[in-house]
Amino acid sequence: IAGMDPSDPQLVDWQNRLNQAVFSVAEDQLTYEVKIGKKPVSSLIAFYKNYQKGLNPGSAEWRQIDLDIRIKLDELHQIRRQP
């Protein structure tokens, strides 16, 4: 991406792909650390809320992150209750 011509019409697409991959890897790593008890659930919620700040509150992506927060909280609380 760094070597792409700024006027390349595919530049935005590749930047979005990279951003999504970085987000996904960070989310998976943090979720794993929460599941094994290395990090608190609050760190995952803070991760989502920080990401959400950069989104348009009326967008579908913002609503999806909001839903993800609630789903992840529920899943992680259930996992923590298991013996």
Side-chain angles (χ1 to χ4, degrees):
I1 294 176
M4 291 181 78
D5 184 325
S7 64
D8 189 323
Q10 293 186 357
L11 179 60
V12 172
D13 183 47
W14 282 105
Q15 286 173 327
N16 286 336
R17 288 179 188 206
L18 177 59
N19 290 342
Q20 289 173 352
V22 169
F23 175 85
S24 181
V25 169
E27 178 187 34
D28 289 348
Q29 177 66 34
L30 189 53
T31 300
Y32 172 75
E33 290 176 349
V34 169
K35 284 181 181 180
I36 65 170
K38 188 174 180 181
K39 298 260 181 154
V41 173
S42 61
S43 65
L44 185 60
I45 301 309
F47 172 79
Y48 284 127
K49 290 201 176 278
N50 187 50
Y51 178 73
Q52 199 176 34
K53 287 178 189 176
L55 302 175
N56 177 345
S59 71
E61 188 176 11
W62 189 94
R63 289 189 301 274
Q64 184 61 51
I65 291 294
D66 197 55
L67 178 61
D68 289 347
I69 289 170
R70 287 183 269 133
I71 290 170
K72 289 283 185 184
L73 269 176
D74 187 51
E75 288 174 358
L76 293 169
H77 286 302
Q78 288 178 19
I79 289 169
R80 289 251 170 117
R81 286 187 215 131
Q82 295 175 359

